Amino acid sequence: MASKHITFTGHDGSALAARLDLPEGPHLATALLAHCFTCSKDIAAARRIAQRLAAMGIAVLRFDFTGLGHSGGEFANTGFTSNVADVRAAATWLRDNGMPAKLLIGHSLGGAAILKAAPDIAGVKAVVTLGTPFDPAHVTHNFGNALERIRDKGEAEVDLGGRPFRITHAFVKDVEGASIATELQRLKAALLVMHAPRDEIVGIDNATRIFTAARHPKSFVTLDDADHLISRASDADYAAEVMASWASRYLDLRPPAPPPGVPEGIIRVSEADPEGFLQDVVAGPQHHALADEPRAYGGTNRGMSPYGFISAGLGACTSMTIRMYARRKGWPLDHVRVDVSHDKMHAQDAKSGLGDKIDSFRREIHLEGALSDDQRARLLEIADKCPVHRTLRQSSTIHTVLAG
């Protein structure tokens, strides 16, 4: 998963810090992820969810709300309304950069902000909430005895998760006056509600109210004994897997068709990433693949290496040749597998009389079935009749011309 640090302008003009997690392969869709109250974009659950979605071609933008994490602005001057505005600003940045958000994900109060903003974000196909309160004012339960001081004095310092935060009366009034009921009725995207029955911060009844208020299509998945922050790796991985599988039903995740126009009998290789080594490989009008180099050699490992393709050709040709011979003979060959590895070896070890080093391919052939020893031996001989094997054993000519 490649990741880029970006900034965009929040609701009050402050610079908001964000991370854009990109797929290694084709970019098929984009998700926007909003974190929980007083958390940051870099909590473990957010990282794991982004990683899983990126693996299936979905880019993920996760950002810090105003005054939190690495974002600018004053947290004390924010509220639920400003969080919703920051979500809209993030969606606008994605749209303006050619990757409009089709999937929205919100955790806890971030989930409420996502639900509030979703009906007004064009192109959204699916929305996911994790441990989200139906009533944004639920967050004031975290303030305990400080809530009375906030009302009396206009503000107070509150310990949240071991960190001090200055909470103002304006913040309390904002969340107490907020509602997501109307937006749930307006929501046209599919909804997935994920919640843990034992969540001690936001009770499971909130998930029931969200689910009941929303229209179909809607789904509910329990997170069993996960905590509110989904801090256990196994819980975060489970949530990410379910989310990715569910989202694929509503997002068009089909990879782009290979480039047209390649005539039959031609292998066309086009550079796909000028900053690395990724190549787009098209064989005729129907077949498409990617070639690359490992990261250790400066590539991004999104496809087989050139020698990997040569090894694949040798293995495929060997298996086909063996199958064709056994079929013609009517022998009981159930399955063929050919493991091929490539290396360089000293020419003197191979007794070839060539230069210092030559290419060495090792084939390990696995034959399954009720074959006799003689039949197995014969099939091993037939492997050397494979046309690609003969090509590699013999000298080849390569005629290169510069296209006009």
Side-chain angles (χ1 to χ4, degrees):
M1 179 178 72
S3 187
K4 292 183 178 179
H5 293 280
I6 66 166
T7 59
F8 63 91
T9 303
H11 75 281
D12 64 353
S14 299
L16 302 190
R19 186 183 296 273
L20 181 62
D21 299 308
L22 297 167
E24 292 287 357
H27 176 192
L28 307 180
T30 303
L32 172 59
L33 190 155
H35 62 72
C36 53
F37 182 55
T38 71
C39 297
S40 82
K41 66 184 182 302
D42 297 315
I43 63 171
R47 291 198 308 270
R48 289 181 177 275
I49 289 170
Q51 184 177 34
R52 179 64 188 89
L53 293 178
M56 62 185 295
I58 301 175
V60 180
L61 178 73
R62 42 193 171 107
F63 70 97
D64 292 327
F65 283 111
T66 300
L68 292 172
H70 296 95
S71 287
E74 290 292 331
F75 175 78
N77 296 331
T78 66
F80 180 70
T81 301
S82 70
N83 284 354
V84 175
D86 284 346
V87 168
R88 292 193 179 112
T92 298
W93 185 91
L94 286 170
R95 182 201 65 199
D96 292 347
N97 283 271
M99 49 180 76
K102 293 185 178 180
L103 172 63
L104 304 180
I105 306 163
H107 184 193
S108 192
L109 191 63
I114 284 288
L115 289 173
K116 187 77 172 177
D120 300 320
I121 300 176
V124 173
K125 302 295 184 183
V127 177
V128 180
T129 63
L130 297 149
T132 293
F134 177 80
D135 183 359
H138 186 283
V139 74
T140 61
H141 295 178
N142 297 310
F143 304 160
N145 296 330
L147 186 57
E148 186 175 343
R149 296 199 308 273
I150 295 171
R151 296 188 194 279
D152 291 342
K153 299 183 178 180
E155 65 177 52
E157 190 172 274
V158 179
D159 184 277
L160 299 172
R163 292 180 297 158
F165 289 90
R166 187 163 63 92
I167 305 296
T168 65
H169 190 215
F171 178 96
V172 174
K173 287 180 62 177
D174 184 47
V175 294
E176 287 181 339
S179 171
I180 61 173
T182 300
E183 284 71 25
L184 280 167
Q185 284 293 304
R186 292 174 53 215
L187 185 64
K188 296 180 180 179
L191 175 66
L192 172 62
V193 178
M194 306 186 79
H195 212 112
R198 300 181 183 179
D199 190 329
E200 297 179 351
I201 305 299
V202 179
I204 188 67
D205 59 300
N206 288 273
T208 302
R209 296 177 70 186
I210 291 173
F211 187 83
T212 302
R215 297 179 176 181
H216 286 289
K218 55 185 176 180
S219 306
F220 176 80
V221 172
T222 179
L223 294 177
D224 296 323
D225 60 347
D227 60 20
H228 181 67
L229 293 180
I230 320 177
S231 55
R232 282 192 314 218
S234 58
D235 293 328
D237 288 340
Y238 172 73
E241 286 290 337
V242 171
M243 193 183 305
S245 178
W246 174 85
S248 66
R249 186 176 184 87
Y250 302 101
L251 306 182
D252 184 6
L253 299 180
R254 291 172 296 179
V262 181
E264 195 72 48
I266 296 294
I267 305 293
R268 177 169 293 167
V269 181
S270 306
E271 190 175 53
D273 181 6
E275 296 182 0
F277 296 114
L278 186 67
Q279 307 293 316
D280 192 84
V281 183
V282 180
Q286 296 182 344
H287 305 293
H288 177 239
L290 294 174
D292 204 347
E293 287 286 3
R295 295 182 186 279
Y297 293 97
T300 53
N301 202 32
R302 296 187 228 178
M304 283 198 301
S305 69
Y307 276 108
F309 276 96
I310 294 175
S311 298
L314 175 61
C317 184
T318 300
S319 180
M320 292 174 185
T321 301
I322 290 174
R323 171 55 67 190
M324 183 174 60
Y325 187 85
R327 184 183 295 145
R328 189 167 67 242
K329 290 290 187 178
W331 289 355
L333 175 63
D334 295 334
H335 186 259
V336 187
R337 189 180 88 234
V338 183
D339 295 342
V340 181
S341 58
H342 167 262
D343 201 355
K344 297 279 189 180
M345 66 181 296
H346 288 285
Q348 61 185 17
D349 295 334
K351 300 179 181 179
S352 66
L354 299 176
D356 291 338
K357 288 198 173 182
I358 62 170
D359 292 287
S360 173
F361 293 89
R362 182 179 184 275
R363 281 184 305 187
E364 186 172 275
I365 300 173
H366 300 258
L367 305 175
E368 297 179 11
L371 298 164
S372 68
D373 290 343
D374 288 343
Q375 288 171 333
R376 289 177 178 275
R378 180 56 181 160
L379 290 176
L380 185 62
E381 293 177 5
I382 291 300
D384 288 346
K385 306 294 184 182
C386 153
V388 173
H389 174 94
R390 291 180 174 180
T391 298
L392 292 173
R393 286 290 301 269
Q394 299 169 0
S395 60
S396 301
T397 62
I398 300 175
H399 179 58
T400 304
V401 296
L402 184 63

